Amino acid sequence: MSDRTPSWDEQIRWRLLRGEESALGELYDRFAPLVHGLAGLILDDLDAAEQLTREVFAQLWQHPAAYDPARGSLRAWLGTLTQRRAVERLRSQRGDDPEVEARATAARVQYMVAALPEPLRETIAVGWYDGLRYPETARRLGITEQAAKHRMRLGLQLISSALAGQDGPDAGGCPGPAR
């Protein structure tokens, strides 16, 4: 018998499996803004994003066993499911427009960056998005150049690994939330 305490993701899944509506409410309160934001970035339509958000949470409510905590965080699973559904919706409207995949990938990267721990997220925002070199990034953040390099590389490796491992809604496709 294991004396390991189940993670929040495992606990919420078991509560959903038992049909606890309060678990769905808790889950919605915690992740609906992220799901809606990702859907909005991909779909570029707030009404469609709201509808997709409801669909994603309805799917989880109806099929809680589809999420496997052993394969990744619930946040990652919801992000991958949202991206997949949003891309399917765009493809049904636009066919194989290459912009669909590019928009979905860009939105997914934004979602993953937002999920990084604060020091990594901040370093990427300052260094990568602002186009600064390591010395300027380090100065702006008040850290050593070595720390700036380490944070940037680690953050980009996490994002790269998440993108490479993204193969379905049950994949643990992005870093977990910064807790």
Side-chain angles (χ1 to χ4, degrees), residues 27 34 41 69 85 88 110-111 118 123 141 144 159 163 172:
L27 187 65
L34 292 169
L41 285 169
R85 284 180 162 247
E88 286 171 1
Q110 281 184 289
Y111 180 84
E118 179 62 28
T123 304
L141 295 175
T144 67
I159 292 166
L163 287 171

Side-chain angles (χ1 to χ4, degrees), residues 93-152:
Q93 296 167 353
R94 297 185 183 182
D96 283 333
D97 183 349
E99 183 184 321
V100 170
E101 200 60 45
R103 182 187 293 180
T105 300
R108 185 72 172 161
V109 169
Q110 281 184 289
Y111 180 84
M112 286 184 257
V113 169
L116 290 171
E118 179 62 28
L120 303 181
R121 183 173 56 245
E122 181 181 52
T123 304
I124 287 175
V126 170
W128 186 263
Y129 293 147
D130 292 350
L132 300 180
R133 294 197 162 114
Y134 292 124
E136 293 95 13
T137 300
R139 264 194 304 281
R140 191 176 292 177
L141 295 175
I143 60 176
T144 67
E145 187 176 337
Q146 188 61 32
K149 286 179 182 179
H150 176 73
R151 288 179 184 181
M152 181 68 74

